[in-house]
Amino acid sequence: FILIATTVTCLLNIVSCTKENPLIGEWAVINYSDPFKATNDATKVSSDENYILQFHDNGFFSFTTDCNTISGEFTLSGKEIHFLNLSATEMSCDRETVERSVKSQLPMVDSYDLTNDSILSLIGKQGNVLMKLARRPIRTTTDDSDESSFTTQTEAERNPKVILAITSDSLLTCKNNFNGIDENPLILDTTNPGLTDYMTEWINSLDTIEVNELKNTSALHITVGPDVSDATVNKVKTAIKGCGIEKFSMSNFDIEK
């Protein structure tokens, strides 16, 4: 009986440990409770602002605000969640309202509620909602056209070997992780008329196996910065297809190496 009980316990632990964390990914703040306001009404985030909370699968989180980043660890147990060991960068900003509120409220979070796998509420010990967030979708190219659809692929399902990051309307960088390190760094000006030629030259610098994988699988992933225009995104997509790459995925956030 002891052996059976031990075996069952081990199996349950394996299932529990291998179950995917539903919070992993990026969440955009919809509204938050400002402890420095006289009222308890939730403060909405305007549509032109992006305040992003990201849960990493290694137990760490990061929160980008007006101009700083708050980071630390988080623990989950059922519906309980706790944010620990917070630290933050200290750049001077014109507006630090959200940042100030987040830094004071995250340590107060005691549990969470997840609605339709898309709306996340962070709840305090008194049952009050301290922050409400929406899951950020991942934009993935599904065919040869320029039309994109939103999916909820996990990082494991994408598993990109090469990441092109469009960080602005004039800058594109590349992480080539075929061999686990960035052996062939690529930094390009997206406004350069020879963008396609430069990318072709970079692809030709790879070995045959890498080139075939790049052209025939979804080994390429493109991340798009928050201020990048659709025109720049389409320009990069056209250049990539001009290099013979038809399959790639896209998202609006950076993937950790």
Side-chain angles (χ1 to χ4, degrees):
F1 285 113
I2 294 175
L3 177 60
I4 293 174
T6 303
T7 303
V8 171
T9 301
C10 290
L11 289 174
L12 289 175
N13 286 335
I14 291 172
V15 172
S16 175
C17 292
T18 57
K19 185 178 180 181
E20 185 179 356
N21 185 338
L23 303 186
I24 297 300
E26 290 199 345
W27 302 82
V29 178
I30 300 173
N31 58 53
Y32 62 95
S33 174
D34 187 344
F36 304 100
K37 288 177 59 177
T39 66
N40 292 325
D41 296 337
T43 301
K44 293 183 178 180
V45 173
S46 63
S47 58
D48 62 340
E49 295 177 310
N50 288 308
Y51 301 104
I52 309 301
L53 172 62
Q54 180 172 6
F55 293 97
H56 304 277
D57 57 10
N58 59 2
F60 288 87
F61 77 91
S62 58
F63 193 107
T64 55
T65 62
D66 288 328
C67 66
N68 283 295
T69 299
I70 301 170
S71 59
E73 302 172 51
F74 71 95
T75 61
L76 287 178
S77 178
K79 288 293 183 179
E80 290 186 7
I81 182 171
H82 298 283
F83 294 88
L84 310 169
N85 302 322
L86 273 66
S87 62
T89 56
E90 298 181 353
M91 293 178 61
S92 178
C93 311
D94 293 333
R95 296 180 302 169
E96 296 183 3
T97 306
V98 178
E99 177 175 326
R100 182 183 59 174
S101 298
V102 169
K103 288 173 67 175
S104 66
Q105 295 288 50
L106 282 181
M108 307 300 294
V109 174
D110 190 60
S111 62
Y112 75 91
D113 180 69
L114 187 58
T115 305
N116 297 328
D117 196 40
S118 59
I119 300 297
L120 173 64
S121 297
L122 299 179
I123 304 169
K125 292 183 178 180
Q126 306 302 321
N128 52 319
V129 176
L130 301 178
M131 198 179 307
K132 183 171 287 188
L133 310 95
R135 187 186 293 277
R136 296 187 81 188
I138 300 168
R139 185 169 56 186
T140 303
T141 299
T142 56
D143 51 34
D144 294 340
S145 69
D146 284 337
E147 296 296 325
S148 297
S149 62
F150 287 91
T151 70
T152 55
Q153 285 180 299
T154 65
E155 291 185 15
E157 289 171 332
R158 287 196 305 267
N159 191 28
K161 295 293 183 64
V162 176
I163 299 175
L164 291 180
I166 312 175
T167 53
S168 70
D169 279 335
S170 60
L171 184 63
L172 181 149
T173 60
C174 170
K175 290 182 179 180
N176 168 19
N177 294 321
F178 274 115
N179 299 315
I181 56 176
D182 192 6
E183 289 187 337
N184 296 280
L186 179 71
I187 301 176
L188 294 177
D189 181 354
T190 58
T191 63
N192 193 314
L195 178 65
T196 303
D197 294 334
Y198 284 115
M199 292 192 67
T200 301
E201 183 179 345
W202 167 70
I203 291 174
N204 290 337
S205 70
L206 304 176
D207 64 39
T208 304
I209 296 177
E210 292 172 346
V211 170
N212 288 336
E213 188 170 356
L214 196 59
K215 291 185 176 182
N216 300 317
T217 69
S218 295
L220 172 64
H221 185 83
I222 305 171
T223 68
V224 182
D227 300 320
V228 177
S229 67
D230 289 340
T232 298
V233 174
N234 289 332
K235 183 186 299 183
V236 172
K237 289 167 63 177
T238 300
I240 289 171
K241 292 182 179 181
C243 296
I245 302 174
E246 296 292 338
K247 297 180 180 180
F248 55 88
S249 58
M250 295 185 66
S251 70
N252 55 353
F253 62 90
D254 288 335
I255 297 178
E256 295 292 333
K257 180 176 178 181

